[in-house]
Amino acid sequence: MSLTACGSGDDGAKDDGSSSSAPSGDKPKDGGGGSTVPDTSQTLATINGNDGIQLVVHTAVRDDDGFLTVTGTLKNTTDDRVGAPISWNGDESQVRRTGRSLAGLTLVDKQEKKRYFVLRDTEGYPLTTTGISSLKANESIGVFAQFPAPPESTTQVDFLMPAMPAATIEIS
């Protein structure tokens, strides 16, 4: 699996606060950027929130460098614009200053009794989709988050997104 994103500066497109971006080494300036395109050929879990937001988790891939990247599609299943809960950003003061993100995502390894948080770069920016403040009616957005990888012996983790139920996903 590969994850590709296109960075952008000011390309003339209006940013309505609902875009997402992948980490490019640059600090997010306006919450916008390239789109994250997950491999949607499989579904590990479908998580339905009470507000009409659905997250379909597509992949949880462990790499040789000790990271675990989770990809998915965030969907607004309603006919109205839905605001992204502030809890998705996480509670840490360092990530709060980086703007809207999915830094509040966590993984729980029940076998090892450990919780894993979204990784941060050296400047404190989360290695996850950023810039989602709302989703338009029936809009879908590709998302990702990168975590430290659990031990090789761990094949399942609980995926937790604030304001939504937990789901158990398989690691590949």
Side-chain angles (χ1 to χ4, degrees), residues 46-126:
T46 300
I47 307 165
N48 293 303
N50 293 334
D51 54 3
I53 294 178
Q54 179 184 75
L55 177 64
V56 178
V57 179
H58 298 295
T59 64
V61 178
R62 183 189 320 264
D63 69 24
D64 293 334
D65 295 324
F67 304 113
L68 179 73
T69 302
V70 178
T71 66
T73 303
L74 194 60
K75 298 178 184 180
N76 175 357
T77 62
T78 73
D79 292 328
D80 298 310
R81 180 179 290 266
V82 175
I86 199 77
S87 59
W88 288 359
N89 298 336
D91 292 329
E92 299 170 53
S93 59
Q94 186 175 18
V95 296
R96 273 194 242 150
R97 73 172 173 79
T98 64
R100 297 295 220 147
S101 71
L102 299 179
L105 296 173
T106 57
L107 299 176
V108 174
D109 178 352
K110 291 180 186 175
Q111 180 181 333
E112 297 290 323
K113 297 182 171 80
K114 291 185 180 182
R115 178 180 299 258
Y116 296 91
F117 296 92
V118 171
L119 290 169
R120 293 2 175 202
D121 68 14
T122 56
E123 295 181 27
Y125 290 90

Side-chain angles (χ1 to χ4, degrees), residues 7-43:
S8 72
D10 182 12
D11 61 1
K14 182 181 175 206
D15 181 8
D16 65 1
S18 65
S19 63
S20 62
S21 63
S24 64
D26 295 331
K27 294 179 192 174
K29 293 177 179 74
D30 62 2
S35 293
T36 304
V37 183
D39 172 5
T40 59
S41 64
Q42 61 181 328
T43 297

